[in-house]
Amino acid sequence: MRLIELRLENLRNISSLDLQLAPGINLFVGPNGAGKTSILEGAYLLSHAQSFRSGPANTLIRRGADQFNVFARIERQSGPVQVGLSRDANGWAARINSDDAASLGHMLREYAQVCFEPGTHALISGGSDERRRFLDWGVFHVEPDFMATARAFRRALHQRNALLKQGQSDAELDSWDIELAHAGETLATMRRAYFQHYSRALTAALTIYLPELGQTTTRYGQGWSEETSLEEALLETRTLDRSRGYTGRGPQRADWSIAFAQAPLREHLSRGQEKLCALACVLAQAQLFADSRGEWPVIALDDLSSELDDAHQRLVVDTLSSCGAQVLISAIEIPACLRAMDTPTCLFHVEHGSMRSLL
Ligand SMILES: Nc1ncnc2c1ncn2[C@@H]1O[C@H](COP(=O)(O)OP(=O)(O)OP(=O)(O)O)[C@@H](O)[C@H]1O
Ligand SMILES: [Mg+2]
């Protein structure tokens, strides 16, 4: 899969930008605050409808403008497609081939991009929300019913939590427990099946990026005991849930983790090792996507040179160039590995939200 054209309007400091992208490595260089990350972020929005940076979605809209627009022409094995995404004060609007998309989810299915950026280490050092969101993006791309199941689960959880807070009767809770358990079990099964495959890809990637840490163990926790059904778990904790006013067990508590023989706890990792571990997580997800779909997602590497040492930059660039993925890299200066290599690179210079193609 690759972006042929990316158009950004009123996104952060970019008023209007129209990029023609090359198949392999596309490198965006420029000074701090120029708009390099915003370009990668614009493309990422088309596959996540959410930035990899924190903050409300409306802060993506250029100050003084009413809405931002992102548009891309995409080439895929299944044929070309054009997608568009806008955001204004009322929310999102998505288009597929100039028609309004039936839902945001329909548009998100059309394009896939993963991203490694300075905040990605939160996959290792951050809370479980981050890891669930990350996992769910992968599940979404392999399970056609994921969106509907996740929505049904969220609705049931919201209802049950409201009933718990209101102190409603057991009879009221019973019916929502059944609904919550049904959607929750399905969701957990989807996640577990995905994680089984993901774990293999992840272990392979970790062996490449962190061989010095020895054997890897990965673990997926579904959010309640493996020994009981979700319905039983909900019944068991009902009294406790009533007293705290929310549901303490279930897929909303799912998490996954990585441990190494030489670093059994995440606190044993150096900051750089944490980043490499996060990079392996992202690349493993891309690899799994490629294995199941027969084509690579677009891979964005934001601020590459400040995140990794030269040897690891070279390793990742070499690996990605040889697999044929389209890669979007941002950096303040041309990274040493790209200066030295004869990898064909399409170079763009970014300044004040506008851009020049240099090669
Ligand atoms: N909503 C907004 N409206 C206008 N400008 C914004 C908005 N949000 C962020 N900016 C500005 O957009 C610019 C581009 O930010 P971006 O993070 O893309 O830069 P960058 O080139 O990646 O810089 P760095 O090298 O520091 O990471 C910054 O100057 C930032 O202050
Ligand atoms: Mg940046």
Side-chain angles (χ1 to χ4, degrees), residues 36-83:
K36 307 178 298 293
T37 301
S38 305
I39 295 171
L40 273 48
E41 188 178 38
Y44 183 89
L45 286 167
L46 294 172
S47 90
H48 286 74
Q50 186 178 29
S51 174
F52 46 75
R53 298 199 257 200
S54 56
N58 286 350
T59 57
L60 291 157
I61 305 172
R62 192 169 67 86
R63 276 192 314 281
D66 298 330
Q67 66 171 62
F68 75 73
N69 303 306
V70 182
F71 165 87
R73 278 195 301 124
I74 297 158
E75 189 177 82
R76 304 166 309 177
Q77 272 181 4
S78 55
V81 68
Q82 300 181 10
V83 290

Side-chain angles (χ1 to χ4, degrees), residues 188-264:
T189 304
M190 288 177 177
R191 284 176 173 163
R192 190 178 306 108
Y194 178 79
F195 192 78
Q196 249 170 26
H197 295 290
Y198 178 63
S199 169
R200 279 197 286 277
L202 179 57
T203 304
L206 290 167
T207 310
I208 297 171
Y209 288 94
L210 285 163
E212 70 277 16
L213 294 183
Q215 206 183 340
T216 313
T217 319
T218 58
R219 190 190 148 269
Y220 165 71
Q222 62 178 0
W224 76 96
S225 162
E226 299 281 342
E227 312 299 319
T228 58
S229 69
L230 182 53
E231 201 179 334
E232 284 163 348
L234 291 172
L235 200 56
E236 263 172 31
T237 54
R238 193 178 275 185
T239 310
L240 182 60
D241 285 351
R242 272 192 197 287
S243 66
R244 54 189 173 191
Y246 65 86
T247 306
R249 291 187 196 164
Q252 74 281 13
R253 302 293 297 272
D255 201 0
W256 55 276
S257 61
I258 305 164
F260 299 90
Q262 304 304 324

Side-chain angles (χ1 to χ4, degrees), residues 150-314:
R151 202 176 304 120
F153 171 74
R154 276 197 307 273
R155 177 169 166 267
L157 182 64
H158 181 78
Q159 285 294 337
R160 186 178 192 267
N161 286 344
L163 295 177
L164 288 168
K165 281 198 189 84
Q166 294 158 12
Q168 295 285 352
S169 67
D170 281 344
E172 286 276 351
L173 277 166
D174 283 346
S175 61
W176 281 107
D177 275 12
I178 292 169
E179 196 148 333
L180 182 62
H182 178 70
E185 294 273 8
T186 312
L187 184 57
T189 304
M190 288 177 177
R191 284 176 173 163
R192 190 178 306 108
Y194 178 79
F195 192 78
Q196 249 170 26
H197 295 290
Y198 178 63
S199 169
R200 279 197 286 277
L202 179 57
T203 304
L206 290 167
T207 310
I208 297 171
Y209 288 94
L210 285 163
E212 70 277 16
L213 294 183
Q215 206 183 340
T216 313
T217 319
T218 58
R219 190 190 148 269
Y220 165 71
Q222 62 178 0
W224 76 96
S225 162
E226 299 281 342
E227 312 299 319
T228 58
S229 69
L230 182 53
E231 201 179 334
E232 284 163 348
L234 291 172
L235 200 56
E236 263 172 31
T237 54
R238 193 178 275 185
T239 310
L240 182 60
D241 285 351
R242 272 192 197 287
S243 66
R244 54 189 173 191
Y246 65 86
T247 306
R249 291 187 196 164
Q252 74 281 13
R253 302 293 297 272
D255 201 0
W256 55 276
S257 61
I258 305 164
F260 299 90
Q262 304 304 324
L265 299 175
R266 67 187 190 199
E267 290 78 7
H268 290 133
L269 298 173
S270 76
R271 184 76 167 167
Q273 286 171 330
E274 219 172 70
K275 288 179 181 178
L276 287 168
C277 200
L279 173 69
C281 291
V282 170
L283 297 181
Q285 197 164 52
Q287 173 77 61
L288 192 51
F289 185 95
D291 292 346
S292 63
R293 299 282 284 270
E295 62 183 338
W296 283 80
V298 173
I299 298 175
L301 306 170
D302 184 36
D303 232 349
L304 180 68
S305 5
S306 68
E307 292 300 296
L308 305 177
D309 62 35
D310 280 351
H312 285 105
Q313 287 177 47
R314 185 177 301 273

Side-chain angles (χ1 to χ4, degrees), residues 11 28 72 88 93 127 134 183 262 278 320:
L11 183 78
F28 300 90
D88 64 14
F134 177 85
Q262 304 304 324
L320 294 178

